[in-house]
């Protein structure tokens, strides 16, 4: 079988597939149109998020037997059409779930203890102890939406704290010893913290909007290490401004390109963002987040650790072996 690698990954992926007798070709620079012209030569594709795999691309891939996505989500692939064509889809959520769980916990503790704000102030010569008094996680109710690989990894990390963990999921009977499954209404009634662990689907696009936020009985903290488009940023900003959301840890943003490698730039900016003497065009809501002391931002790296780089690659290899060897 011939496999085309469209993104660079840990070298063990290619090394092990070579050892197993697969033929591996790498092409990290050709355009999508150029790749379409030769994709019929290949039995498999390995991709992260370089571009979307749509119907046109799949029609050109006449001999394709599988698509391996080195990551958790498959939203950049027309999964239904691929499955109609008998193409096996492989993802690797097992490979970075621990990294996501640790990052989520780190964001939550940083927000509760104002670590980013305090660090910035000390570097500016400000020693503001009272203003940086933190909160303890113990005694809080943590609500998770989505209880798959990522949600379960985060719940496991919370076992060392005296917290109650609740989850809502569209699948039944996913709760376990680390987390009690409840209705969405019950979660919104009780949660002090909300953490998102959902894939990008029609159900989750724009899920966290004004109505969703206002259905929470208490003011709460929001953590999103899932997908940026699950949160309507303008509605998040409104809730932060009113105090309904007490703070937010965002590893993902609504404005990300589908490749997750950059932030979308709009042609007619609402704001001119000044940083280090350079102007960049950013939406007004993003400008608010950047300047808010109770918001922690990271560039879609929750699952992006040294260890997960290895685990993701190994997971793809193992699943290819399971299916094709």
């Amino acid at each position: 079988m011939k496999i085309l690698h469209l993104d660079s990954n840990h070298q063990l992926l290619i090394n092990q597939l070579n050892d197993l007798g697969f033929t591996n070709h790498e092409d990290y620079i050709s355009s999508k149109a150029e790749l379409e012209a030769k994709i019929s030569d290949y039995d498999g594709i390995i991709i992260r998020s370089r571009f979307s795999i749509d119907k046109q691309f799949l029609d050109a891939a006449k001999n394709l037997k599988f698509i391996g996505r080195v990551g958790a989500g498959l939203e950049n692939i027309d999964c239904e059409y691929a499955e109609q064509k008998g193409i096996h889809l492989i993802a690797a959520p097992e490979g970075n779930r621990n990294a996501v769980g640790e990052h989520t916990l780190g964001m939550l503790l940083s927000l509760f203890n104002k670590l980013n704000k305090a660090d910035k102030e000390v570097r500016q010569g400000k020693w503001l102890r009272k203003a940086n008094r933190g909160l303890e996680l113990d005694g809080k109710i943590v609500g998770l939406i989505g209880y798959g690989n990522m949600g379960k990894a985060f719940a496991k990390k919370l076992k060392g704290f005296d917290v109650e963990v609740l989850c809502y999921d569209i699948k039944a009977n996913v709760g376990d010893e680390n987390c009690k499954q409840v209705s969405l209404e019950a979660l919104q009634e009780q949660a002090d913290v909300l953490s998102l662990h959902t894939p990008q689907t029609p159900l989750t696009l724009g899920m966290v909007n004004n109505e969703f936020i206002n259905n929470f009985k208490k003011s709460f903290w929001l953590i999103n290490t899932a997908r940026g488009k699950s949160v309507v940023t303008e509605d998040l900003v409104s809730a932060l401004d009113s105090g309904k959301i007490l703070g937010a840890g965002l590893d993902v943003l609504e404005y990300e390109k589908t490749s997750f490698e950059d932030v979308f730039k709009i042609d007619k900016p609402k704001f001119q963002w000044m940083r280090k003497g350079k102007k960049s065009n950013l939406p007004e809501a993003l400008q608010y987040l950047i300047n808010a002391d109770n918001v922690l931002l990271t560039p879609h790296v929750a699952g992006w650790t040294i260890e997960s780089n290895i685990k993701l690659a190994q997971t793809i290899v193992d699943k290819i072996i399971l299916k094709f060897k």
Side-chain angles (χ1 to χ4, degrees), residues 4 9 20 29 43 65 71 76 86 155 189 223 251 271 288 321:
L4 180 61
N9 292 291
L20 289 164
I29 59 173
D43 302 287
K65 297 175 180 63
N76 286 343
E189 177 79 14
I223 309 292
D251 181 54
F271 257 70
Y288 180 100
I321 293 171

Side-chain angles (χ1 to χ4, degrees), residues 243-259:
K244 183 65 178 181
I245 292 182
L246 299 168
L250 307 172
D251 181 54
V252 290
L253 291 168
E254 180 182 2
Y255 312 103
E256 283 181 270
K257 293 180 179 178
T258 56
S259 66

Side-chain angles (χ1 to χ4, degrees), residues 101-114:
E102 289 191 4
H103 192 100
T104 307
L105 180 59
M107 280 192 137
L108 181 55
L109 292 175
S110 294
L111 285 169
F112 269 35
N113 291 283
K114 303 182 181 180

Side-chain angles (χ1 to χ4, degrees), residues 75 196-201 204-209 222-236 249-258 260 262-263 286 289 297-301:
E75 68 268 25
L196 304 182
H197 299 280
T198 49
Q200 184 171 302
T201 71
T204 63
L205 285 171
M207 175 179 66
V208 181
N209 56 21
L222 174 68
I223 309 292
N224 187 10
T225 54
R227 288 293 183 261
K229 289 181 173 58
S230 294
V231 177
V232 179
T233 312
E234 290 185 356
D235 294 353
L236 167 61
L250 307 172
D251 181 54
V252 290
L253 291 168
E254 180 182 2
Y255 312 103
E256 283 181 270
K257 293 180 179 178
T258 56
F260 308 136
D262 202 353
V263 176
L286 182 52
L289 297 178
L297 302 170
T298 52
H300 204 138
V301 292

Side-chain angles (χ1 to χ4, degrees), residues 204-224:
T204 63
L205 285 171
M207 175 179 66
V208 181
N209 56 21
N210 279 326
E211 180 182 3
F212 177 93
I213 292 166
N214 291 327
N215 282 335
F216 278 76
K217 180 180 179 181
K218 297 183 273 189
S219 294
F220 65 96
W221 301 79
L222 174 68
I223 309 292
N224 187 10

Side-chain angles (χ1 to χ4, degrees), residues 45 53-62 64 67 77-79 81-82 85 87:
I45 296 172
I53 305 293
D54 52 21
K55 288 184 178 181
Q56 180 175 320
F57 193 89
L58 290 169
D59 282 337
K62 299 184 185 301
L64 200 63
I67 300 172
I77 301 169
D78 189 330
C79 296
Y81 193 63
K85 296 177 77 68
I87 298 170

Side-chain angles (χ1 to χ4, degrees), residues 153-210:
F154 181 43
K156 184 177 179 182
K157 304 300 176 192
L158 291 169
K159 284 188 70 175
F161 296 86
D162 184 15
V163 297
E164 182 178 0
V165 185
L166 308 176
C167 69
Y168 168 72
D169 196 290
I170 60 172
K171 295 181 179 179
N173 303 316
V174 298
D176 56 23
E177 68 277 9
N178 299 325
C179 183
K180 178 183 177 182
Q181 186 171 9
V182 298
S183 67
L184 179 58
E185 292 75 18
L187 187 147
Q188 291 174 316
E189 177 79 14
Q190 300 177 63
D192 299 295
V193 175
L194 173 65
S195 186
L196 304 182
H197 299 280
T198 49
Q200 184 171 302
T201 71
L203 286 175
T204 63
L205 285 171
M207 175 179 66
V208 181
N209 56 21
N210 279 326

Side-chain angles (χ1 to χ4, degrees), residues 3-166:
I3 302 175
L4 180 61
H5 298 255
L6 299 176
D7 289 294
S8 61
N9 292 291
H10 196 279
Q11 191 59 39
L12 77 80
L13 202 162
I14 290 178
N15 289 345
Q16 291 192 21
L17 290 175
N18 279 334
D19 291 343
L20 289 164
F22 294 94
T23 300
N24 294 276
H25 294 167
E26 300 166 76
D27 190 336
Y28 307 146
I29 59 173
S30 293
S31 68
K32 186 176 179 181
E34 290 170 332
L35 291 167
E36 276 184 20
K38 66 177 183 179
I39 195 61
S40 62
D41 294 337
Y42 292 92
D43 302 287
I45 296 172
I46 304 292
I47 191 169
R48 285 203 318 266
S49 301
R50 182 171 162 191
F51 54 72
S52 62
I53 305 293
D54 52 21
K55 288 184 178 181
Q56 180 175 320
F57 193 89
L58 290 169
D59 282 337
K62 299 184 185 301
N63 294 303
L64 200 63
K65 297 175 180 63
F66 75 87
I67 300 172
R69 200 261 153 157
V70 187
L74 295 170
E75 68 268 25
N76 286 343
I77 301 169
D78 189 330
C79 296
E80 183 177 352
Y81 193 63
E83 288 170 350
Q84 286 176 14
K85 296 177 77 68
I87 298 170
H88 184 62
L89 301 177
I90 300 171
E94 305 90 342
N96 62 355
R97 60 189 174 190
N98 183 70
V100 171
E102 289 191 4
H103 192 100
T104 307
L105 180 59
M107 280 192 137
L108 181 55
L109 292 175
S110 294
L111 285 169
F112 269 35
N113 291 283
K114 303 182 181 180
L115 297 187
N116 57 323
K117 174 178 177 290
D119 175 79
K120 180 173 65 177
E121 290 172 353
V122 171
R123 292 172 189 274
Q124 294 171 349
K126 300 175 183 178
W127 197 260
L128 307 177
R129 297 184 69 221
K130 185 176 181 180
N132 287 300
R133 191 186 295 273
L135 289 172
E136 294 181 16
L137 184 54
D138 278 18
K140 304 297 189 294
I141 298 175
V142 180
L144 315 181
I145 295 187
Y147 202 61
N149 281 282
M150 308 306 166
K152 288 178 180 177
F154 181 43
K156 184 177 179 182
K157 304 300 176 192
L158 291 169
K159 284 188 70 175
F161 296 86
D162 184 15
V163 297
E164 182 178 0
V165 185
L166 308 176

